[in-house]
Amino acid sequence: MRSSTLLSSALAALVQTAAAVTGAAEGFAKGVTGGGSASPVYPTTTAQLVSYLGDSSARVIMLDRTFDFTGTEGTVTETGCAPWGTGSGCQTSINLNNWCTNYQPNAPKVTVKYDKAGILGITVKSNKSIIGVGNKGIIKGKGLRLVSGAKNVIIQNVHITNLNPQYVWGGDAITLDNTDVIWIDHVSTSLVGRQHVVLGNNPSGRVTISNSKFDGATSWSATCNGYHYWGLYFTGSNDMITFKNNLIYKMSGRSPKVAGNTLLHAVNNYWYDSKGHSFEIDSGAKVVVEGSIFQNIQTPLEAGGSGKLLTGSNSACSAYLGHACQANGFGSSGTLSGTDTSFLSYFSGKNVASATDYNTAKNVLNTAGFGTI
Ligand SMILES: *[C@@H]1O[C@H](CO)[C@@H](O)[C@H](O)[C@H]1NC(C)=O
């Protein structure tokens, strides 16, 4: 009796511990609470998941299984285009919003057959924590879409995968547009059609992306080489992004593309194995890259961008970021170098993530992504 009471209270404690966010956001989204202390819910069907994510209650939503959306909205067969040819390793494109017609008028036409659920992510409203249990929280065939004023959301320990990877416009894993105070942590994304993460042109506000793994390995690439081109797209008009301890793997472009009016603090990340460019930094972007590793990265920075960039060791950071900026490490990689300190004052008074020596970023290979907490 006594031992079974002990056992059940131990089990209850375990459940209690598991059904909560692990750790706390560092950097710009510090203070995010998501669903806070709401009692956890465990959806069992895709419809229930959609309902919990999209209602107006604060919720802690535990994902203890795979939610497979493929087939839930049917498939579409229609004419698309092949801007990079029809070789077996090439992505082709859906004519979404007439993209083929308007932007690729000379590309060969091809038949595309795609799963409709992938095209638009699940709407996520304010005050939600979405938490995977162990290595079980998988969303297949549909992404997450935080738009139209969604605030205070935590996405932790979840894998989003299989969004029509053959096709450009097949689906984005995580979309933010008109949001504030969002924390994406220990998330994995793989086999997407379009962006792994897209912060669109409206303000996305304060965002922290940490400990996540963006896996660009694919059999269908816009660069036809097994490396995904559409990585991370940060072009919001008023965005502050802390990007820390992430693994960016097998991308060939836009990882990230930074534009709009985005302040990006990229710290202690690991860029690993790219055939193409990593950063594209366009007008309006303000980017600090420190304490990070670039290993087998062909072109860390695409030439010709006109955004502001500061990289590597620099004591001028101390007055604004609260620490001296840390050197980056490069192995079998091109260079990334920027000396612009004119924008550091944008960090003043903000929650800024700490930084450690780039050698510590090697740990990211073991800790990034879902299933490691
Ligand atoms: C989110 O929670 C905060 C704090 O409890 C509350 O003020 C706000 O109205 C909630 N937002 C929504 C959209 O429910």
Side-chain angles (χ1 to χ4, degrees):
M1 183 67 195
R2 187 178 157 74
S3 64
S4 77
T5 309
L6 273 177
L7 185 61
S8 50
S9 52
L11 279 174
L14 262 180
V15 170
Q16 195 79 34
T17 312
V21 167
T22 303
E26 207 192 345
F28 294 133
K30 183 176 179 177
V32 63
T33 56
S37 56
S39 12
V41 291
Y42 290 76
T44 58
T45 63
T46 55
Q48 221 172 20
L49 176 61
V50 168
S51 164
Y52 285 143
L53 290 172
D55 70 15
S56 55
S57 305
R59 289 200 184 277
V60 174
I61 304 165
M62 306 300 297
L63 308 188
D64 65 356
R65 63 196 66 209
T66 296
F67 294 86
D68 187 355
F69 285 84
T70 53
T72 56
E73 297 171 31
T75 54
V76 177
T77 304
E78 60 187 23
T79 301
C81 61
W84 309 284
T86 52
S88 64
C90 297
Q91 252 194 331
T92 57
S93 181
I94 299 166
N95 190 21
L96 194 77
N97 301 320
N98 286 315
W99 185 76
C100 291
T101 316
N102 293 340
Y103 297 101
Q104 305 289 344
N106 301 318
K109 303 275 182 286
V110 292
T111 299
V112 295
K113 182 178 180 202
Y114 59 91
D115 195 81
K116 215 174 158 191
I119 303 297
L120 199 63
I122 310 165
T123 300
V124 179
K125 295 274 183 64
S126 296
N127 300 332
K128 310 282 186 187
S129 301
I130 306 151
I131 309 171
V133 177
N135 61 0
K136 296 187 177 142
I138 300 171
I139 305 177
K140 191 175 167 195
K142 204 167 182 68
L144 297 173
R145 190 161 176 268
L146 287 63
V147 298
S148 308
K151 286 187 178 59
N152 189 31
V153 175
I154 299 170
I155 308 169
Q156 187 173 64
N157 198 33
V158 174
H159 186 186
I160 301 172
T161 188
N162 217 334
L163 309 179
N164 296 304
Q166 305 94 314
Y167 303 122
V168 182
W169 306 113
D172 303 305
I174 298 179
T175 302
L176 269 55
D177 194 54
N178 194 359
T179 62
D180 196 19
V181 196
I182 309 294
W183 185 28
I184 298 165
D185 183 61
H186 280 285
V187 165
S188 295
T189 55
S190 62
L191 292 173
V192 303
R194 188 65 176 178
Q195 301 298 148
H196 283 250
V197 178
V198 52
L199 275 58
N201 298 336
N202 288 303
S204 293
R206 292 163 285 177
V207 177
T208 295
I209 302 173
S210 51
N211 304 304
S212 291
K213 177 178 179 181
F214 306 105
D215 181 353
T218 179
S219 303
W220 307 274
S221 155
T223 38
C224 306
N225 60 357
Y227 293 70
H228 193 69
Y229 183 84
W230 324 99
L232 307 159
Y233 193 84
F234 299 156
T235 66
S237 53
N238 187 11
D239 295 12
M240 299 194 304
I241 307 168
T242 297
F243 191 77
K244 183 170 182 182
N245 286 340
N246 300 293
L247 174 60
I248 306 92
Y249 180 59
K250 285 212 171 201
M251 299 286 183
S252 62
R254 295 190 172 178
S255 48
K257 173 184 167 96
V258 196
N261 189 16
T262 297
L263 180 66
L264 173 63
H265 183 206
V267 47
N268 295 148
N269 302 289
Y270 199 117
W271 273 268
Y272 185 32
D273 190 8
S274 166
K275 293 206 183 342
H277 69 264
S278 300
F279 281 90
E280 178 183 336
I281 301 180
D282 296 330
S283 177
K286 306 168 203 65
V287 180
V288 170
V289 185
E290 57 162 333
S292 293
I293 294 177
F294 293 82
Q295 182 66 47
N296 298 83
I297 300 296
Q298 194 175 63
T299 308
L301 176 65
E302 191 180 52
S306 55
K308 297 179 188 302
L309 174 64
L310 179 66
T311 63
S313 173
N314 199 311
S315 58
C317 294
S318 299
Y320 306 103
L321 283 78
H323 61 261
C325 281
Q326 301 291 303
N328 297 304
F330 298 85
S332 304
S333 294
T335 56
L336 179 73
S337 119
T339 56
D340 193 335
T341 54
S342 69
F343 64 94
L344 291 179
S345 58
Y346 285 91
F347 286 92
S348 291
K350 307 295 190 317
N351 294 309
V352 178
S354 62
T356 50
D357 186 280
Y358 71 83
N359 279 301
T360 62
K362 287 176 186 160
N363 297 333
V364 166
L365 289 172
N366 302 319
T367 58
F370 96 121
T372 66
I373 52 171

